[in-house]
Amino acid sequence: MKLAVIAYLLVCFFLPVQASTPSFEETFGLDLFDKGKNKVRLGMFSNESGDTSSWSIDFKLNKDIGIGQPSYPNKDKDQFILPTTGPVFTMDELLAIGQNDYSDLSDIQKERLFAAIDHSVDDYSVFHINLSAEGLLALDKEKNLKDFTQFRAQGTYKKWRDNQYTYGGGIFATYETDQSNDNAQIAYGVSVNAQFYFHQGKANEYVFLKLDYAQVDPTDNTQRLAILNGDKSTFHRWEMDATVQFQISVQEIDKVELSYRYFYEPGAPTEVAAAGMNNFALFTAGIFFQKGWFIAFSDGELPFSVQKEQIVELGWSHSFN
């Protein structure tokens, strides 16, 4: 119940405020690094044998707080290249474009105006604070098949290059727990990440990579303490995330997403390694349809999991920025 309340408050906090006038970056996708990172998926989660299943909410929420303003060189009119053919803009439309108002432009006008920008000089850097939450809440917490929730705060320096990729790094702290709060731990360390886009201006086709190195305080991790006879010593951990998202030429399918998450504790105590708690891995493949419906398959386990599972997910997904 405690985590359910926290999740509700987080959704309210992370939901975007709709601006009356879209910005240059929103219209032309120059801030693709942050697009589609907020996801809520409601559905039935079941293991392969079908003996454990529950209605659940799988969520991934992010909130960026920029420190300073990034610079977009192509926002200046001298960065626009006159196309050989293009839409005819009225004087009012040109004045509106100069004020970052694209609300009255047609989709074709937006596409051609975007194509008329010289993206070879796109380049900016910015420091920002990122707050995030990721996990699974099951209606029956005893049947949570991905019982690992992570709340994260991170300071990141991010660099955008050539409208094709971003990269960055920083420091972070996380609070990790299961749904019942029986197991919890704090981790803090350094992180690097990169995101590559398959097509210029398309936010939903990309490869995302993240690598963390952290020191973990397991003071409230009852699983680990039971194995180590109450030893609360901190330990080091690597965490790697990789996600690929792309579209296929099937009209009913919006996108396909593949993700892999891996945790590894180097030099783990013999008891931890013998219990299989020195490394965890989870692979997920999902197909998302036009109306938000999805089907996904997962194989593996996350920290705090009792055993490896093959999980089938069927439900409705919503992404927002």
Side-chain angles (χ1 to χ4, degrees), residues 61-319:
L61 305 171
N62 283 266
K63 181 72 172 182
D64 273 329
I65 304 172
I67 307 299
Q69 293 296 321
S71 174
Y72 295 90
N74 288 335
K75 192 172 181 178
D76 298 331
K77 61 182 180 180
D78 61 348
Q79 299 293 343
F80 284 83
I81 304 172
L82 291 177
T84 54
T85 59
V88 176
F89 296 101
T90 66
M91 181 58 68
D92 288 340
E93 288 172 338
L94 290 174
L95 290 173
I97 290 172
Q99 297 175 0
N100 292 333
D101 183 0
Y102 307 92
S103 57
D104 292 331
L105 299 183
S106 67
D107 290 339
I108 293 178
Q109 285 178 316
K110 291 177 183 178
E111 289 176 4
R112 292 186 179 177
L113 186 59
F114 177 73
I117 300 174
D118 180 8
H119 290 288
S120 64
V121 294
D122 279 343
D123 187 0
Y124 78 78
S125 59
V126 64
F127 180 79
H128 66 101
I129 303 296
N130 176 263
L131 305 176
S132 65
E134 180 176 4
L136 183 77
L137 294 176
L139 188 62
D140 184 348
K141 65 181 181 180
E142 301 301 326
K143 296 181 179 180
N144 191 326
L145 295 171
K146 295 181 181 178
D147 201 2
F148 180 69
T149 298
Q150 195 174 59
F151 301 93
R152 182 182 181 107
Q154 177 169 330
T156 298
Y157 178 81
K158 181 174 67 177
K159 188 80 172 180
W160 172 279
R161 294 287 295 177
D162 300 335
N163 202 38
Q164 288 294 317
Y165 62 90
T166 64
Y167 59 92
I171 57 175
F172 71 90
T174 64
Y175 175 73
E176 304 167 353
T177 183
D178 57 14
Q179 188 171 342
S180 62
N181 279 337
D182 291 334
N183 297 284
Q185 57 193 20
I186 297 173
Y188 43 91
V190 295
S191 177
V192 293
N193 60 69
Q195 189 157 338
F196 306 88
Y197 299 96
F198 297 144
H199 303 288
Q200 190 177 72
K202 296 190 71 174
N204 58 354
E205 294 191 294
Y206 62 83
V207 176
F208 175 75
L209 301 171
K210 183 187 75 173
L211 182 65
D212 291 350
Y213 184 68
Q215 181 164 299
V216 183
D217 180 356
T219 301
D220 297 317
N221 185 342
T222 56
Q223 282 183 351
R224 186 180 180 93
L225 297 182
I227 292 174
L228 296 178
N229 296 318
D231 185 356
K232 299 181 180 181
S233 300
T234 60
F235 63 94
H236 293 95
R237 184 185 71 190
W238 290 97
E239 178 185 348
M240 187 270 286
D241 290 354
T243 300
V244 180
Q245 186 173 288
F246 57 91
Q247 294 180 307
I248 59 176
S249 55
V250 177
Q251 185 175 0
E252 293 78 10
I253 296 177
D254 179 49
K255 62 185 178 183
V256 176
E257 183 179 284
L258 307 175
S259 66
Y260 182 73
R261 199 171 181 186
Y262 181 69
F263 298 81
Y264 174 67
E265 178 185 345
T270 304
E271 298 88 343
V272 172
M277 293 173 57
N278 62 324
N279 65 83
F280 303 89
L282 183 72
F283 171 76
T284 301
I287 298 176
F288 298 84
F289 300 92
Q290 291 289 345
K291 299 298 183 180
W293 299 104
F294 78 95
I295 184 170
F297 174 80
S298 299
D299 185 17
E301 60 182 336
L302 292 171
F304 307 143
S305 297
V306 177
Q307 61 182 8
K308 293 183 179 180
E309 293 278 9
Q310 292 184 327
I311 306 167
V312 178
E313 309 167 29
L314 179 63
W316 180 78
S317 174
H318 177 64
S319 297

